[in-house]
């Protein structure tokens, strides 16, 4: 069982809203997948439609560095 | 949009396109690690260069340590050495060679001796006896002591002083005292006043494992025994001995003898595994163009003072071969000479599991071939990196990320932006103009003007083909894609009646020349034949000519461009590294995509050669120089009086290609182009355009995201910034766009980012 890590914390809660459903995003379970590897993570998700939001700082930071590490595997 | 398949993480071993033998034979060409001339000439393999460096830095103690490694008795050696190194010093070719022996003598005399070996040193179990006195027993005892053999010397002399003195009468009192001290400090046992008779020798034979003797003893006791000079051995007596006299012969003989002792002690054949012994010829290359002819520092009295030795050692030019390092920004960036880098890159291709740490360096080479020209032995780093990339692709280990943008750009060039038409009024044509993808992207007006000129002045019809020659996928090592591109271009050319290709880009010309039965000319050749069009004129101030790496080894193209520049009235300034030695602008080999930092260093190096405006004949060079802020012109811009203006960003480059195609279709072939209009208004803040260019996000990607948002309504509102954020997965990446909705059908893009990882919701 992979260890679950939180790469991102929603701070403050409620500042992000799903436009489609009109509800605030909440901390939810999501999964990153790349080159046949999967990583369980917690990200802001819409409790209604399940839209998973990847914030810019996460995409350009941790996600990019993990991508590079996997590419060189 | 076309997609290129990403590799999986399970490596399938398909075809190995690189062989160890091929890499080894290439690595052999790199002489960076080759011993310098002085060192190669020395039978004792003294690290002369290292010693002179230490002296030049004023560190005589370190210099002495280096010297003592080769010569256990440095004063004796420096006085008796015949200095074969001095004759090989490369400075002899321009002036006085370095007075190496005099510097050695000063090191031996003035260098502070380091602490003697630890008394706790483990000694070997096999013991050695040395019979007789003289230089050979003296040196051999020290060599064996260094190898930790318990050594006992049996000599006829009455004490250590007499033993040392018997063959070193040339030492002055001071030097003698120093060497005596050095001898006393060594872990060697002495038995004096021995009468070395055959019976005495036979008696000791049973006590010791290895027997050695001076030449005098061996020729007296065994006058008829055969002597093997390479091994310093009388094999039938198992006696390690010598035959020649003299300091150098004794010192070199002692080194060979010590190795024989080593082999005998392990019950191994002394003939095998001896490595390289004695003087050799160095294959090193040293550029003497900047070497200054200087005279030796004169020697006064008994020898150099420490200051004089330092001054003389400073004249040493520290021979190294760094021709490629001097000229290539890529090799300098990784601070590795090509022999080592190639070995590491080869190893990188052979890793089945684990990190491929050399992926980035392997993909950072511009494959320009400059190293092959500047290397005295023609080392071809481009070939190594190219086959390594192909190998990574063939074994399914090559990540797509570094090259995907460029490959998709090529797919775009040969897809949406591709155009192949015979000249209006012709079914088949004698010529086809192939300007190259970068010309259409950067200077579409120049392409139009050139095509109009060729149509006007050439008979037999000039077709037009807007597309990519296939260099992009070739550089990326995607050999299957290269084959497909080649077939595609051949098919399109055959539809046009297999015309003669007039290439607008030297790289396209080079690439297309590899096609079978294809005749390729450069537009520069055609322009020289036809004469320049009216009104063509050059820059009104001196300019530097940058030779394209596509024209390396192609003097005809280089000369043709210079002839055109001359006819245009351009005054060209000389730059270092021009012609075949020209560096890459950073676009070649997809460096600009795989490693922007190295690409910038390459561009900077190109521009460092001159402060003048640059004229080039490759549109990618023109673009990179202009992006770096230098006034930069493509030769065709001067010929046709068109100005491509400031460099376009990545989206404008695509837009330019598409617009060029559509305008030409409309104006020449009277075909109605596809509608490219959006049914809503989309604006970009200048910052958003800058960010998108930097992150390689196209307006097409942004439009796809907004389209998706308009269709599904899926977006996040960030109440802090007030921005809406929508996303769409396109190919192998997810694109996110930050925007505002200004009106019902109007949006302003404030930013965008992407990631290659796929994200989805997880249950449980």
């Amino acid at each position: 069982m992979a260890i679950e890590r939180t790469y991102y914390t929603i701070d403050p809660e409620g500042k992000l809203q799903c436009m489609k459903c009109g509800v605030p995003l909440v901390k939810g379970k999501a999964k990153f997948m790349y080159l046949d590897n999967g990583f369980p993570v917690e990200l802001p998700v819409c409790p209604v439609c399940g839209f998973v939001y990847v914030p810019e700082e996460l995409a350009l930071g941790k996600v990019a560095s993990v991508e590079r590490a996997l590419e060189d595997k | 949009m076309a997609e290129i398949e990403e590799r999986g993480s399970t490596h399938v071993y398909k075809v190995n396109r690189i062989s160890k033998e091929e890499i080894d034979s290439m690595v052999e060409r790199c002489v960076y690690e080759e011993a310098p001339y002085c060192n190669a000439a020395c039978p004792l393999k003294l690290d002369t260069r290292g010693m002179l460096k230490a002296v030049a830095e004023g560190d005589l103690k370190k210099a002495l340590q280096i010297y003592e490694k080769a010569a256990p008795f440095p004063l004796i050696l420096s006085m008796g050495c015949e200095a074969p190194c001095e004759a090989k010093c490369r400075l002899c070719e321009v002036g006085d060679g370095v007075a190496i022996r005099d510097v050695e003598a000063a090191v031996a005399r003035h260098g502070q001796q380091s602490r003697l070996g630890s008394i706790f040193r483990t000694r070997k179990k096999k013991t050695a006896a040395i019979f007789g006195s003289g230089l050979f027993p003296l040196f051999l005892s020290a060599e064996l002591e260094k190898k930790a053999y318990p050594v006992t010397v049996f000599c006829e002399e009455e004490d250590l002083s007499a033993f040392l003195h018997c063959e070193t009468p040339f030492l002055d009192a001071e030097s003698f005292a120093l060497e005596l001290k050095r001898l006393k400090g060594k872990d060697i046992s002495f038995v004096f006043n021995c009468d070395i008779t055959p019976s005495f020798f036979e008696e000791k034979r049973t006590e010791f494992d290895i027997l050695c003797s001076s030449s005098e003893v061996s020729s007296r006791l065994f006058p008829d025994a055969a002597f093997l000079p390479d091994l310093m051995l009388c094999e039938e007596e198992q006696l390690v001995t010598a035959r020649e006299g003299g300091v150098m012969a004794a010192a070199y003989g002692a080194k060979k003898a010590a190795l024989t002792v080593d082999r005998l002690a392990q019950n191994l054949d002394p003939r095998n595994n001896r490595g390289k012994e004695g003087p050799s010829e160095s294959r090193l290359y040293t550029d003497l163009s900047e070497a200054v002819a200087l005279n030796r520092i004169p020697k006064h009295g008994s020898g150099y003072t420490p200051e004089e030795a330092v001054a003389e050692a400073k004249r040493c030019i520290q021979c190294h071969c760094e021709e490629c390092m001097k000229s290539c920004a890529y090799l300098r960036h990784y601070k590795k000479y090509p022999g080592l880098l190639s070995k590491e890159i080869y190893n990188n291709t052979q890793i089945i599991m684990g990190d491929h740490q050399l992926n980035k360096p392997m993909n950072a080479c511009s494959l320009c071939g400059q190293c092959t020209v500047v290397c005295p032995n023609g080392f071809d780093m481009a070939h190594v990196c190219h086959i390594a990339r192909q190998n990574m692709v063939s074994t399914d280990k090559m990540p797509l990320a570094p090259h995907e943008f460029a490959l998709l750009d090529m797919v775009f060039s040969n897809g949406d932006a591709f155009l192949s038409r015979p000249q209006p009024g012709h079914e088949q044509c004698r010529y086809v103009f192939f300007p190259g993808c970068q010309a259409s992207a950067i200077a579409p007006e120049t392409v139009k003007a050139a095509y109009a000129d060729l149509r006007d002045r050439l008979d037999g019809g000039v077709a037009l083909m807007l597309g990519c020659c296939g260099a992009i996928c070739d550089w990326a090592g995607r050999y299957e894609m290269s084959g497909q591109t080649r077939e595609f271009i051949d098919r399109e050319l055959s539809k046009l009646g297999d015309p003669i290709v007039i290439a607008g880009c030297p790289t396209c010309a080079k690439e297309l020349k590899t096609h079978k039965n294809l005749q390729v000319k450069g537009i520069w050749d055609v322009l020289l034949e036809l004469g320049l069009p009216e009104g063509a004129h050059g820059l009104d101030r001196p300019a530097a000519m940058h030779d394209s790496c596509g024209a390396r080894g192609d003097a005809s193209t280089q000369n043709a461009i210079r002839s055109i520049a001359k006819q245009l009235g351009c005054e060209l300034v000389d730059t270092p590294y021009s012609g075949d030695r020209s560096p890459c602008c950073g676009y070649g080999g997809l460096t600009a995509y795989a490693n922007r930092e190295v690409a910038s260093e390459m561009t900077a190096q190109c521009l460092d050669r001159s402060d003048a405006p640059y004229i080039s004949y490759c549109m990618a060079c023109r673009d990179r120089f202009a992006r770096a802020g230098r006034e930069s012109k493509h030769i065709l811009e001067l010929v046709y009086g068109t100005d491509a203006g400031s460099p376009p960003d990545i989206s404008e480059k695509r837009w330019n290609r598409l617009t060029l195609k559509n305008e030409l279709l409309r104006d020449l072939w009277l075909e109605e182009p596809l509608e490219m209009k959006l049914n809503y208004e989309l604006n970009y803040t200048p910052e958003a355009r800058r960010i998108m260019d930097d992150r390689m996000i196209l307006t097409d990607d942004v439009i796809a995201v907004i389209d998706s948002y308009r269709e599904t309504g899926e977006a996040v509102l960030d109440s802090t910034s007030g921005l809406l954020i929508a996303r769409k997965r396109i190919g192998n990446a997810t694109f996110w766009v930050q925007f505002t909705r200004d009106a019902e059908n109007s949006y302003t893009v404030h930013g965008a980012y992407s990631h290659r990882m796929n994200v989805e919701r997880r249950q449980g």
Side-chain angles (χ1 to χ4, degrees):
Chain A
M1 177 72 190
I3 302 163
E4 203 161 301
R5 293 190 186 91
T6 302
Y7 292 112
Y8 180 73
T9 47
I10 307 172
D11 182 37
E13 288 240 14
K15 74 161 190 169
L16 298 166
Q17 195 188 344
C18 176
M19 282 299 283
K20 192 178 171 186
C21 310
V23 294
L25 299 190
V26 296
K27 193 161 92 171
K29 290 180 175 178
K31 191 167 127 184
F32 273 120
M33 281 169 304
Y34 191 46
L35 301 171
D36 297 348
N37 293 276
F39 305 94
V41 286
E42 289 196 334
L43 285 175
V45 294
C46 171
V48 181
C49 69
F51 185 102
V52 183
Y53 174 56
V54 181
E56 184 174 9
E57 59 270 31
L58 181 64
L60 302 181
K62 192 75 191 172
V63 169
S65 68
V66 174
E67 277 172 7
R68 271 194 288 276
L70 288 175
E71 280 157 11
D72 289 342
K73 282 281 172 206
Chain B
M1 183 194 266
E3 276 185 36
I4 299 167
E5 200 183 333
E6 179 66 273
R7 71 159 167 84
S9 66
T10 317
H11 301 318
V12 185
Y13 197 83
K14 288 185 190 164
V15 194
N16 214 345
R17 298 176 72 93
I18 192 169
S19 76
K20 176 109 180 40
E21 290 71 25
E22 194 179 356
I23 287 294
D24 285 347
S25 75
M26 188 58 82
V27 168
E28 184 73 7
R29 291 190 191 189
C30 178
V31 294
Y32 182 87
E33 276 189 331
E34 191 76 8
Y37 313 91
C38 46
N39 173 228
C42 175
L44 306 182
K45 294 274 173 272
L46 166 64
D47 177 13
T48 326
R49 182 175 64 191
M51 187 196 72
L52 288 171
K53 184 165 184 262
V55 177
E57 287 164 358
D59 191 347
L60 263 58
K61 185 179 174 184
K62 185 178 168 194
L64 184 59
Q65 277 175 358
I66 296 171
Y67 193 24
E68 279 184 318
K69 267 188 196 166
F73 296 98
L75 280 161
I76 297 176
L77 191 81
S78 64
M79 289 194 189
C81 170
E82 291 136 25
C85 51
E86 290 189 8
K88 292 283 182 181
C89 177
R90 294 295 307 273
L91 282 181
C92 294
E93 293 166 38
V94 291
D96 282 353
V98 178
I100 301 172
R101 192 173 57 169
D102 291 337
V103 175
E104 282 169 4
V107 166
R109 195 178 299 273
H110 304 293
Q112 189 196 344
Q113 210 180 334
S114 53
R115 211 166 56 85
L116 296 169
S118 161
I119 52 165
F120 300 111
R121 207 160 66 124
T122 315
R123 295 163 111 207
K124 288 197 170 98
K125 283 183 183 147
K126 296 275 173 94
T127 54
I130 302 175
F131 300 90
S133 56
L135 286 170
F136 177 73
L138 175 69
F139 287 136
L140 181 57
S141 63
E143 293 288 348
L144 294 181
E145 189 258 2
K146 200 160 74 182
K147 287 175 181 281
Y149 287 100
V151 185
T152 309
V153 177
F154 298 93
C155 60
E156 291 167 352
E157 283 72 16
E158 57 192 13
D159 60 17
L160 207 54
S161 175
F163 174 79
L164 181 63
H165 193 260
C166 72
E167 276 197 27
T168 57
F170 47 82
L171 286 183
D172 55 58
E174 190 192 346
S175 304
F176 185 82
L178 279 168
E179 293 297 52
L180 187 60
K181 187 181 160 204
R182 197 170 261 127
L183 179 59
K184 279 180 181 165
K186 294 192 188 294
D187 182 19
I188 303 169
S189 308
F190 282 88
V191 180
F192 300 107
N193 299 316
C194 297
D195 186 10
I196 304 168
T197 60
S199 59
F200 177 80
F201 182 83
E202 290 307 323
E203 184 193 324
K204 298 295 170 198
R205 191 191 277 277
T206 52
E207 290 175 29
F208 292 90
D209 298 300
I210 312 286
L211 299 172
C212 314
S213 82
S214 66
S215 60
E216 185 271 323
V217 169
S218 65
S219 46
R220 181 158 56 79
L221 298 186
F222 310 104
D224 302 324
F227 174 70
L228 303 169
D230 289 344
L231 309 180
M232 307 299 284
L233 182 68
C234 284
E235 204 166 20
E236 59 200 86
E237 296 297 335
Q238 286 291 295
L239 176 66
V240 177
T241 183
R243 278 288 184 268
E244 288 175 74
V247 173
M248 275 305 270
Y252 178 35
K255 287 237 178 269
K256 287 194 285 183
L259 184 56
T260 301
V261 168
D262 250 348
R263 304 282 300 170
L264 291 175
Q266 296 170 69
N267 292 324
L268 297 168
D269 189 337
R271 287 172 183 78
N272 299 337
N273 279 349
R274 296 187 70 91
K276 275 189 186 172
E277 288 182 291
S280 58
E281 282 296 321
S282 175
R283 295 191 306 129
L284 192 68
Y285 172 84
T286 302
D287 177 20
L288 291 176
S289 60
E290 287 174 22
V292 185
L294 290 171
N295 293 332
R296 284 186 175 191
I297 305 288
K299 194 168 76 167
H300 303 288
S302 60
Y304 282 149
T305 61
E307 293 73 28
E308 286 167 339
V310 170
E312 181 63 11
K314 278 186 176 163
R315 294 206 309 118
C316 170
I317 55 171
Q318 292 287 309
C319 291
H320 270 109
C321 179
E322 289 180 333
E323 296 309 295
C324 51
M325 293 287 213
K326 282 191 258 178
S327 61
C328 175
Y330 159 68
L331 290 171
R332 275 203 306 280
H333 179 87
Y334 286 104
K335 298 186 181 71
K336 281 179 183 159
Y337 57 94
L340 177 65
L341 194 56
S342 296
K343 272 191 245 176
E344 292 184 357
I345 285 177
Y346 170 76
N347 293 340
N348 191 63
T349 63
Q350 303 302 306
I351 298 168
I352 306 282
M353 297 294 280
D355 287 348
H356 293 81
Q357 292 178 347
L358 268 284
N359 275 1
K360 208 162 184 192
M362 178 188 73
N363 285 329
C365 171
S366 64
L367 310 180
C368 74
Q370 185 202 32
C371 52
T372 316
V373 179
V374 297
C375 171
N377 296 317
F379 196 102
D380 195 347
M381 197 68 212
H383 179 64
V384 171
C385 288
H386 191 221
I387 54 171
R389 291 180 201 181
Q390 288 185 336
N391 199 76
M392 293 289 284
V393 170
S394 75
T395 52
D396 206 21
K397 293 181 223 161
M398 181 68 127
L400 184 57
H403 296 146
E404 189 178 28
F405 187 89
L407 291 169
L408 286 174
D409 206 47
M410 190 193 118
V411 169
F412 171 78
S413 290
N414 285 348
D416 291 349
F418 185 76
L419 178 69
S420 176
R421 288 281 191 284
Q423 182 175 334
H426 293 73
E427 270 187 22
Q428 296 208 316
C429 293
R430 192 166 166 212
Y431 302 99
V432 58
F433 178 40
F434 194 98
C437 58
Q438 293 304 301
S440 306
I442 294 157
E445 291 307 316
T446 310
V447 173
K448 274 189 196 170
Y451 183 45
D453 182 39
L454 295 174
R455 277 199 321 273
D456 281 354
R457 298 201 285 159
L458 284 173
D459 296 326
V462 184
L464 179 68
M465 191 179 285
L466 300 179
C468 169
C469 63
I472 303 281
C473 52
D474 183 47
W475 285 338
R478 307 267 159 183
Y479 54 91
E480 284 172 350
M481 226 171 147
S482 295
Q484 289 158 4
T485 309
R486 178 181 292 258
E487 281 173 23
F488 169 72
I489 289 176
D490 285 345
R491 214 165 37 239
E492 290 296 327
L493 285 171
S494 108
K495 285 185 205 164
L496 298 172
D498 290 317
I500 298 168
V501 177
I502 300 173
C505 157
T507 301
C508 297
K510 189 178 163 192
E511 184 75 26
L512 293 171
K513 275 178 188 167
T514 64
H515 288 231
K516 265 187 195 166
N517 306 323
L518 194 57
Q519 203 183 330
V520 183
K521 283 178 150 185
I523 190 170
W524 43 91
D525 296 323
V526 178
L527 285 172
L528 280 182
E529 285 164 22
L530 296 175
L532 298 187
E534 268 183 45
H537 64 87
L539 291 174
D540 52 5
R541 54 206 171 285
M545 174 64 75
H546 174 76
D547 288 287
S548 151
C549 43
R552 198 181 308 286
D554 181 359
S556 150
T557 296
Q558 293 168 16
N559 293 335
I561 298 290
R562 281 171 174 75
S563 297
I564 293 175
K566 199 176 164 195
Q567 288 181 29
L568 287 166
C570 293
E571 187 192 329
L572 296 182
V573 294
D574 283 336
T575 62
Y577 290 108
S578 67
D580 283 347
R581 294 161 64 88
S582 180
C584 174
C585 68
Y587 185 80
L590 305 182
T591 307
Y593 298 96
N595 196 324
R596 280 195 224 178
E597 195 185 346
V598 173
S600 302
E601 287 167 21
M602 288 175 177
T603 313
Q605 168 174 301
C606 288
L607 295 178
D608 274 352
R609 293 175 302 166
S610 172
D611 294 329
Y614 270 59
I615 298 175
S616 50
Y617 44 101
C618 165
M619 212 46 98
C621 304
R622 186 254 181 232
D623 184 56
R624 287 196 63 84
F625 297 159
R627 275 173 174 257
R630 183 64 62 92
E631 184 179 351
S632 166
K633 288 280 177 200
H634 191 279
I635 191 95
L636 292 180
E637 285 180 85
L638 299 177
V639 168
Y640 293 108
T642 49
D643 181 7
S646 50
D649 68 19
I650 52 167
S651 298
E652 286 162 345
K653 280 184 183 175
R654 284 206 173 188
W655 177 259
N656 285 347
R657 270 174 282 179
L658 219 47
T659 312
L660 175 67
K661 173 186 171 179
N662 287 341
E663 286 178 2
L664 288 170
L665 274 178
R666 188 190 61 210
D667 299 343
L668 291 180
W669 289 280
L670 311 174
E671 290 179 27
E672 205 46 51
L674 290 171
E675 187 67 45
M676 295 197 297
K677 263 195 163 171
L678 288 174
N679 55 2
Y680 53 88
E681 194 186 325
L682 191 57
N683 302 305
Y684 298 85
T685 62
E687 179 62 5
R689 279 311 278 246
R690 193 197 61 74
I691 286 174
M692 285 164 59
D693 196 48
D694 185 53
R695 296 177 183 170
M696 296 205 282
I697 296 169
L698 296 164
T699 49
D700 282 353
D701 301 326
V702 171
I703 290 167
V705 174
I706 300 293
D707 283 348
S708 164
Y709 161 72
R710 282 166 60 85
E711 199 178 304
T712 63
E714 284 180 358
V716 167
L717 172 66
D718 186 334
S719 57
T720 321
S721 62
L723 292 175
L724 287 166
I725 307 148
R727 55 102 177 85
K728 183 172 169 63
R729 183 84 182 163
I730 307 170
N732 296 310
T734 302
F735 292 87
W736 295 81
V737 177
Q738 296 148 325
F739 62 101
T740 48
R741 191 170 159 219
D742 310 325
E744 177 68 24
N745 281 321
S746 174
Y747 309 90
T748 300
V749 176
H750 292 260
Y753 56 96
S754 69
H755 52 80
R756 298 180 67 81
M757 284 218 197
N758 207 351
V759 67
E760 64 180 42
R761 190 143 191 227
R762 167 171 63 99
Q763 302 298 328

